[in-house]
């Protein structure tokens, strides 16, 4: 069990499921942080990862993103119980948590493999950071309202040099996150691609672009900006200096396994979370 320990509702849900587990003969394993907050016996990080097949993530999509990075490289499938706002990743409903866990215990679920981005920051032609993101990597400027210019390459081909407030490179998983707000398309997670979305482009012709699953995207800021930041899933940030290059691709070695239940598929989520089909005029026969 992985829990947003800063949210009282998530802690209450965790304690409720612990009590349910006692009655149902189900025991939960806790990594060190959750164990200390919940007052349970915990395991070390590596021991926990080696003993867990399925992790229940209690919180919102932010908690799910942190959980995905935590289990990266381990064969652990994630199921999220949403106590946040939108809940595309943490799709389970709190009021149905016990029923959902019973379905999972019976094996009545499927696994969707979500690709992750691999980003490498190069400085003076040397790799200084390697990072992985389930949703997106975003290159953006600081607080000053100044346009930045970013050279975008696919492989060795120049795609464009964009004047914009920033650039989002997203997975299909992240297509319903920041990229959607910036005007990008919705892409189901089984489609293997990357999405390049400018943020407030200072041109009329710039549009989102899809890159293939084997493409390598290189972002190189031009000019002398010294207030640039590369953010990882909107949660971790890395300073980018003039002359740095950021290479982004779909990771070949890592992915995230997400549990989906038969009663709650991706397109059902789109209809529910984006309220598609609401307010459509119905016509009665005369």
């Amino acid at each position: 069990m992985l829990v947003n320990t800063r949210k009282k509702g998530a802690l209450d849900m965790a304690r409720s499921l612990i009590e349910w587990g006692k009655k149902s003969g189900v025991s939960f394993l806790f990594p060190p942080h959750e164990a200390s907050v919940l007052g349970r016996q915990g395991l070390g990080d590596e021991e926990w990862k080696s003993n867990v097949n399925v992790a229940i993530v209690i919180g919102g999509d932010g908690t799910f993103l942190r959980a995905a990075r935590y289990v990266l490289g381990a064969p652990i499938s994630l199921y999220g119980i949403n106590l946040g706002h939108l809940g595309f990743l943490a799709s389970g409903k709190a009021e149905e948590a016990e029923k959902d866990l019973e379905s999972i215990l019976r094996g009545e679920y499927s696994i969707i493999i979500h690709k992750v981005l691999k980003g490498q920051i190069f400085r003076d032609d040397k790799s200084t950071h390697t990072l992985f993101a389930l949703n997106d990597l975003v290159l953006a400027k600081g607080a000053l309202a100044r346009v930045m210019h970013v050279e975008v390459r696919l492989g060795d081909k120049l795609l464009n040099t964009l004047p914009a407030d920033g650039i989002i490179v997203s997975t299909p998983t992240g297509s319903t996150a920041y990229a959607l707000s910036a005007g990008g398309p919705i892409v189901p997670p089984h489609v293997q691609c990357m999405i390049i979305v400018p943020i407030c482009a200072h041109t009329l012709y710039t549009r989102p672009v899809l890159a293939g699953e084997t493409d390598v995207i290189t972002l190189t800021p031009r000019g002398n900006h010294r207030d640039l930041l590369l953010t990882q899933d909107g949660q971790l940030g890395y300073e980018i200096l003039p002359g740095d290059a950021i290479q982004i691709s779909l990771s070949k070695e890592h992915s995230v396994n997400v549990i989906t239940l038969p009663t709650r598929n991706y397109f059902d989520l789109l209809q529910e979370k984006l309220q598609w089909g609401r307010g459509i005029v119905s016509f009665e026969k005369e």
Side-chain angles (χ1 to χ4, degrees), residues 136-141 148-152 159-170 178-179 182 195-201 206 217-221 229-231 246 248:
D136 49 40
L137 294 170
V138 180
L139 177 63
K141 59 188 180 62
M148 60 189 289
H149 291 79
V150 183
E151 181 184 282
V152 183
L159 179 65
N160 204 345
T161 300
L162 293 173
D165 286 358
I167 303 288
I168 303 167
V169 179
S170 167
Y178 194 5
I195 309 158
I196 305 169
V197 184
I199 304 170
C200 296
T206 301
I217 301 166
T218 303
L219 306 180
T220 307
L229 196 68
L230 180 71
T231 57
I246 306 154
I248 303 172

Side-chain angles (χ1 to χ4, degrees), residues 154 192-196 209-217 250:
L154 286 180
Q192 305 303 315
C193 68
M194 294 176 285
I195 309 158
I196 305 169
V209 175
L210 295 185
E213 62 177 314
T214 61
D215 285 333
V216 177
I217 301 166
L250 288 177

Side-chain angles (χ1 to χ4, degrees), residues 82-145:
N82 182 38
L83 292 171
H85 298 289
L86 205 55
F88 269 105
L89 291 169
S91 60
K93 298 179 180 179
E95 62 272 19
E96 299 177 3
E98 294 177 5
K99 184 177 69 174
D100 290 349
L101 294 188
E102 290 171 354
S103 296
I104 292 171
L105 289 169
R106 292 194 298 267
E108 297 171 357
Y109 65 89
S110 55
I111 298 289
I112 296 181
I113 298 174
H114 290 241
K115 290 286 190 177
V116 301
L117 296 174
K118 178 181 180 180
Q120 287 185 283
I121 302 173
F122 287 87
R123 185 166 297 161
D124 299 325
D125 296 324
K126 295 180 181 178
S127 178
T128 59
H129 294 288
T130 299
L131 48 150
F132 297 90
L134 176 58
N135 262 3
D136 49 40
L137 294 170
V138 180
L139 177 63
K141 59 188 180 62
L144 295 178

Side-chain angles (χ1 to χ4, degrees), residues 228-240:
L228 303 182
L229 196 68
L230 180 71
T231 57
Q232 177 187 14
D233 282 336
Q235 296 180 339
L236 300 173
Y238 302 82
E239 182 184 20
I240 300 298

